[in-house]
Amino acid sequence: MTSTASRSHRFDIWAPDVNAITLVADGSEYPMSQRGGGWWTAPGAPSEGEVDYGYLPGTDTTPLPDPRSRRQPEGVHSLSRTFEPSAHKWADGDWRGRELQGAVIYELHIGTFTTEGTLEAAAGKLGYLKELGVDFVELLPVNGFNGTHNWGYDGVLWYTVHEGYGGPAAYQRFVDAAHRAGLGVIQDVVYNHLGPSGNYLPRFGPYLKSGEGNTWGDSVNLDGGGSDEVRRYILDNAAMWLRDYHVDGLRIDAVHAFKDERAVHLLEEFGALGDAVSTETGRPITMIAESDLNNPRLLYPRDVNGYGLEGQWSDDFHHAVHVNISGETEGYYSDFNSLGALAKVLRVGFFHDGSYSSFRGRHHGRPINTGLVHPAALVVCSQNHDQIGNRATGDRLSQSLSYGQLALAAVLTLTSPFTPMLFMGEEYGATTPWQFFTSHPEPELGKATAEGRIKEFERMGWDPAVVPDPQDPETFRRSKLNWGEATEGDHARLLELYRSLTALRRSTPELAGLGFTDTAVDYTEEEGWLRFRRGDVHVVLNFSEQTVKLDDAGGTLLLSTDEATQPDGASLVLAPWSAAILRA
């Protein structure tokens, strides 16, 4: 898109809704003057050096933070501080990036990934992640929020890095270290809403559309009056992560919540931005949308009226795997209660591709044009922050399922035709929950958050007594990984399986390289087994409590989760809740 103006001085601000504004910088006041397009500038303001600053719109007497602030040392309600990204001396000159196809993603939350909860501590685990066999580290949102700990989706200052994690300089060091370790970085970004505390954007201009809300509050103004600059604010932020912080891609949160009726959708502009930065840097840039629309247009090239994104999350895969290994069929899981549902997802990507969704009470989705989309464009998982954290107690699969069931989830995720994503701790069957936690300093907001959480789960039939208080610091502490588990018993056994599966994925091109039409699936609901084939590689899974024998499953055994046997060379015997991978 073409913006009518831009930030030409480091203190310029877009504030079309005020009739006067004053910059406060290092204790001095600088009355600002209009320079067109709703932008204000401050002649004589400090042009260099580190500066603490804020803005006084109209007759305000308390300075507000900069909407484009890079640092908030004292929190989201206090003064901003300048930050010069070019001061970092990058050491990733040899990094050439990573394509999505063939990659494995590892999703983590900085605050709970380590005991310390910092970017520096997370960087200390990069060697472990490399040995695990992942290719991308995907960070949950790191931008500024009110309080000390939060999932990150309550952010209000999108250009900042939370000081508790180490701030922007620590973020640059983390990305640099990841690249030196051979790992790409994907940053989770939220552009569909703002958090409830510290959002001062409406004091400056029409950033939000009052009365047109989504699940989390007022919608961002993507298509109304003044939306040219609002979109530029978003796209400049996306470009900041890609250029100033060298990240390799963005995961764009809940794009189905965007309200955008313009002819060129914001998602198409994200696709174009990624391509432009890729051309500039010579590195692949990966734009991934979180969407529950099952609309493959997000993935189609822009020259055929698509949005040109590299990937999107696929909830259907998660639901089909979850139901078939756990037996849970309530709510949105109800349509996935069969091996047939899993088989369809493996073959065509979406289960709801125009089919009736009982959870929604309507038909949903549309088929993928397999000539335009590679299976790798669908990012899949058996667990993620939402599917765990939005359960009443934040319980992981490992807290209720056996090793065999967890092993089936691992095999399905890491041998599927799609791009696998792991959630931190999944690889060793972490038993620590990942619960919904907040730290709102305002007592009334904290109380409302806790009560709202209880009411949400009461409507779903959960006992309110089991729902943790998100404001209780213990809820946050419980959610931190216990790394000591990784070396014990079945935890260590599961970790070794994950490492073997990622290695097999890298050494077996058929698993990640072939298209949709190269996947064949057969299954038997009664006996509880399913087999899918990618070229001459066969993945066979037993979802039952009984031993299963397949008479036509001969070949070289590449991997098994529980001592699969081939008694006569042409058949395969699988123990209950186990899987085997063969080359036929």
Side-chain angles (χ1 to χ4, degrees):
M1 66 171 289
T2 301
S3 178
T4 56
S6 63
R7 190 171 203 168
S8 57
H9 187 278
R10 62 176 175 164
F11 298 117
D12 286 2
I13 187 169
W14 185 64
D17 289 354
V18 304
N19 53 22
I21 188 167
T22 299
L23 168 71
V24 178
D26 276 352
S28 299
E29 294 189 359
Y30 301 85
M32 304 188 77
S33 58
Q34 298 188 56
R35 64 172 181 81
W39 283 84
W40 298 75
T41 192
S47 59
E48 58 185 22
E50 188 175 82
V51 177
D52 287 348
Y53 68 103
Y55 298 92
L56 297 169
T59 59
D60 281 15
T61 57
T62 301
L64 302 181
D66 181 1
R68 291 175 179 248
S69 170
R70 294 295 187 99
R71 284 198 66 190
Q72 292 295 129
E74 304 302 324
V76 298
H77 296 289
S78 301
L79 291 175
S80 303
R81 180 173 294 172
T82 54
F83 173 75
E84 181 47 66
S86 63
H88 180 75
K89 304 305 179 187
W90 289 92
D92 65 349
D94 293 334
W95 174 248
R96 292 294 174 262
R98 182 72 167 84
E99 297 282 359
L100 186 63
Q101 184 175 329
V104 177
I105 302 172
Y106 189 93
E107 185 191 36
L108 67 87
H109 175 264
I110 290 295
T112 52
F113 183 56
T114 64
T115 302
E116 300 87 345
T118 64
L119 287 155
E120 181 180 10
K125 292 296 235 179
L126 292 172
Y128 164 86
L129 295 178
K130 183 66 175 177
E131 184 182 357
L132 176 60
V134 304
D135 303 283
F136 286 107
V137 178
E138 180 175 312
L139 303 183
L140 268 65
V142 299
N143 52 267
F145 54 81
N146 196 23
T148 58
H149 53 268
N150 192 292
W151 276 20
Y153 298 91
D154 278 344
V156 289
L157 287 169
W158 293 343
Y159 284 71
T160 61
V161 175
H162 177 55
E163 289 291 315
Y165 296 158
Y171 190 93
Q172 288 179 312
R173 293 192 296 271
F174 176 86
V175 176
D176 220 347
H179 287 171
R180 292 197 304 274
L183 299 172
V185 178
I186 296 172
Q187 181 57 58
D188 193 341
V189 290
V190 183
Y191 299 130
N192 54 64
H193 75 288
L194 290 111
S197 180
N199 172 23
Y200 296 107
L201 292 181
R203 301 281 293 277
F204 296 104
Y207 284 91
L208 303 179
K209 296 182 75 172
S210 180
E212 292 193 23
N214 54 41
T215 305
W216 308 284
D218 287 341
S219 293
V220 177
N221 174 22
L222 300 179
D223 56 9
S227 61
D228 282 356
E229 286 297 344
V230 177
R231 292 164 79 103
R232 175 55 55 200
Y233 176 74
I234 293 171
L235 291 166
D236 283 353
N237 179 255
M240 175 199 78
W241 296 110
L242 301 173
R243 293 188 174 114
D244 293 350
Y245 294 113
H246 289 204
V247 305
D248 301 277
L250 302 176
R251 180 266 191 188
I252 308 166
D253 181 67
V255 302
H256 46 270
F258 288 167
K259 295 183 181 296
D260 183 6
E261 297 297 328
R262 290 172 61 152
V264 179
H265 196 280
L266 181 64
L267 288 174
E268 186 174 347
E269 295 195 86
F270 279 128
L273 171 65
D275 288 349
V277 175
S278 181
T279 299
E280 291 170 17
T281 62
R283 295 184 288 111
I285 296 295
T286 299
M287 296 292 203
I288 301 172
E290 182 203 11
S291 172
D292 73 351
L293 300 176
N294 284 21
N295 182 358
R297 183 182 180 188
L298 278 64
L299 305 172
Y300 294 162
R302 293 193 301 281
D303 60 7
V304 293
N305 204 31
Y307 294 155
L309 303 179
E310 284 69 35
Q312 75 146 90
W313 279 22
S314 174
D315 283 348
D316 286 6
F317 178 90
H318 169 272
H319 299 347
V321 172
H322 185 93
V323 171
N324 280 286
I325 64 170
S326 73
E328 186 176 347
T329 59
E330 292 79 17
Y332 51 66
Y333 292 132
S334 59
D335 291 340
F336 297 86
N337 188 23
S338 68
L339 286 176
L342 178 58
K344 180 180 179 181
V345 170
L346 290 168
R347 283 190 295 104
V348 300
F350 293 151
F351 177 74
H352 286 306
D353 55 0
S355 62
Y356 184 77
S357 165
S358 63
F359 177 71
R360 297 175 179 86
R362 60 170 175 79
H363 288 76
H364 184 69
R366 68 184 302 167
I368 295 172
N369 181 334
T370 57
L372 295 175
V373 175
H374 191 276
L378 297 182
V379 176
V380 303
C381 65
S382 63
Q383 301 182 73
N384 64 37
H385 76 275
D386 270 333
Q387 298 298 342
I388 298 171
N390 285 325
R391 295 172 67 84
T393 60
D395 53 311
R396 296 169 178 262
L397 293 177
S398 50
Q399 293 174 259
S400 58
L401 301 185
S402 68
Y403 168 83
Q405 291 165 304
L406 297 176
L408 287 190
V411 170
L412 280 165
T413 303
L414 286 164
T415 64
S416 79
F418 315 116
T419 295
M421 184 181 75
L422 315 179
F423 181 64
M424 60 178 196
E426 166 192 335
E427 72 277 8
Y428 66 82
T431 60
T432 48
W434 204 73
Q435 299 175 333
F436 180 66
F437 47 80
T438 55
S439 59
H440 300 304
E442 305 92 338
E444 65 282 0
L445 180 56
K447 183 173 183 288
T449 300
E451 291 176 348
R453 190 75 173 169
I454 289 173
K455 288 178 181 177
E456 176 185 353
F457 287 107
E458 277 182 332
R459 288 194 298 269
M460 298 169 63
W462 284 81
D463 179 359
V466 307
V467 181
D469 179 358
Q471 284 285 109
D472 184 349
E474 189 58 32
T475 304
F476 172 60
R477 286 193 288 269
R478 273 195 303 268
S479 300
K480 288 180 177 281
L481 288 177
N482 173 9
W483 286 99
E485 290 184 321
T487 59
E488 301 171 351
D490 277 348
H491 298 292
R493 183 183 177 198
L494 188 63
L495 177 57
E496 187 55 36
L497 173 63
Y498 270 85
R499 288 171 174 161
S500 297
L501 285 166
T502 58
L504 183 65
R505 188 175 180 84
R506 287 194 301 274
S507 64
T508 311
E510 295 91 334
L511 292 176
L514 300 178
F516 277 105
T517 57
D518 298 303
T519 301
V521 189
D522 59 320
Y523 62 94
T524 301
E525 294 280 3
E526 296 78 13
E527 296 181 13
W529 60 263
L530 178 147
R531 169 175 52 189
F532 66 93
R533 287 164 282 180
R534 302 277 289 161
D536 64 356
V537 176
H538 294 200
V539 181
V540 190
L541 306 107
N542 179 8
F543 293 87
S544 78
E545 300 285 353
Q546 309 299 319
T547 298
V548 167
K549 181 181 180 184
L550 280 74
D551 291 327
D552 60 344
T556 303
L557 188 63
L558 302 178
L559 181 150
S560 69
T561 64
D562 193 8
E563 300 299 326
T565 60
Q566 297 172 290
D568 54 17
S571 61
L572 176 71
V573 177
L574 284 179
W577 295 107
S578 70
I581 304 168
L582 310 96
R583 185 176 295 281

